Amino acid sequence: MATTTDQQNIAEAFLAAREKKTPLTAYPGAVPETMADGYAIQDAAIARDGRRIGGWKVGRIAPELVARYGGNRLTGPIFADEIVDGADGAEPAMPVYAAGFAAAEAEVLLCFGTVEDRDHDIISVRDCIAEVRTGIEIASSPFPEINRHGPAVTASDYGNNKGLVLGPPIADWRAKDLVRMPVEFAIDGETVGAATMEAMLDGPFGSALFLIRTLRARGIAIPPGTWVSAGAITGIHEIRPGQRGEALFDGKIRVGCTITG
């Protein structure tokens, strides 16, 4: 899909705001009305950014907006230089846009192996997965109202992503009932959310299947080693510089980070 001049200008405005760390007080152009429009802006920004993509975040579209936007999920790139390994117990410092929007989310992370060029379903997509980890997605945008104008706007600024913390692996993930695994999230030691993946549509593997189909439609390859952050489990927890976030999976697997501006 060819991008319009306005879409290119929007992409450049987001890139400039991210680089200069300055907030956008208003959306920098015509608000995208469809997911195709949002992804066109995202693709223009990716092309200009030039960094290697190491993964993709997947988020849920609110049920009342599904009919309007034609689907129940959205995606955005996670750049390789913003993917940090916290599996050894270290708590990396993760930057956010202090004057924009910032949140942290407990998520299951799937690492793709080889994605064969064929149609997949919710069962066969598991064969594309080489590793499953716990983790935290950092959602942040220089536009404070990124999530208030619909999923196409969210998608237009990298899906509201600013990084990924890779937590410890789930060693027995093929045999484990991931959907019923209890997950908690705490900020500065206070629990702010607790849930399982039972409410996550068709679960983390459904997110992987959505991503394969969506990226193929956009002509984007999925090389081995690509991560997918499968969706917020306990909620989207707004967080500020100076705070500490920690996710607890299955009552025993911990992954944490500190937030910087």
Side-chain angles (χ1 to χ4, degrees):
M1 176 179 178
T3 56
T4 65
T5 298
D6 188 55
Q7 289 170 338
Q8 293 170 359
N9 290 340
I10 293 169
E12 290 171 359
F14 273 119
L15 285 175
R18 282 176 172 257
E19 181 180 0
K20 297 176 182 177
K21 301 177 178 62
T22 55
L24 290 169
T25 57
Y27 193 79
V31 172
E33 298 293 337
T34 68
M35 293 309 298
D37 290 338
Y39 288 138
I41 297 166
Q42 185 185 114
D43 287 342
I46 290 170
R48 285 163 172 74
D49 192 302
R51 288 179 293 166
R52 183 173 69 85
I53 294 173
W56 295 83
K57 63 84 56 76
V58 174
R60 185 172 183 174
I61 293 176
E64 65 272 17
L65 297 177
V66 168
R68 174 180 173 183
Y69 288 95
N72 53 22
R73 286 180 166 104
L74 63 85
T75 188
I78 308 174
F79 293 97
D81 63 348
E82 294 182 332
I83 298 177
V84 182
D85 198 329
D88 60 358
E91 296 192 353
M94 302 299 289
V96 300
Y97 299 104
F101 177 88
E105 305 167 10
E107 307 210 4
V108 164
L109 315 179
L110 312 178
C111 185
F112 282 112
T114 300
V115 180
E116 296 180 357
D117 187 17
R118 64 182 180 89
D119 290 336
H120 289 282
D121 58 28
I122 195 65
I123 301 300
S124 68
V125 74
R126 292 171 177 255
D127 296 332
C128 302
I129 306 303
E131 182 182 13
V132 176
R133 289 201 192 191
T134 57
I136 298 174
E137 185 208 343
I138 303 300
S140 191
S141 168
F143 182 40
E145 296 187 352
I146 185 72
N147 287 340
R148 299 179 185 174
H149 298 277
V153 166
T154 302
S156 71
D157 185 29
Y158 292 159
N160 194 12
N161 179 265
K162 191 62 178 70
L164 189 65
V165 180
L166 304 178
I170 302 174
D172 56 345
W173 66 269
R174 291 187 183 276
K176 198 170 188 66
D177 186 359
L178 294 181
V179 170
R180 291 182 174 82
M181 177 190 294
V183 181
E184 299 178 19
F185 196 83
I187 295 177
D188 290 341
E190 180 179 349
T191 300
V192 294
T196 68
M197 286 170 271
E198 291 177 276
M200 190 193 287
L201 300 172
D202 47 3
F205 299 104
S207 293
L209 183 60
F210 160 82
L211 188 64
I212 290 172
R213 291 172 174 172
T214 300
L215 294 187
R216 279 182 176 170
R218 293 166 61 188
I220 299 174
I222 304 176
T226 298
W227 290 97
V228 52
S229 195
I233 302 168
T234 64
I236 301 170
H237 308 296
E238 293 195 29
I239 197 166
R240 309 311 303 171
Q243 293 186 308
R244 173 182 175 271
E246 182 183 70
L248 177 65
F249 293 80
D250 206 21
K252 58 190 176 185
I253 307 174
R254 296 181 182 274
V255 54
C257 65
T258 57
I259 303 300
T260 62

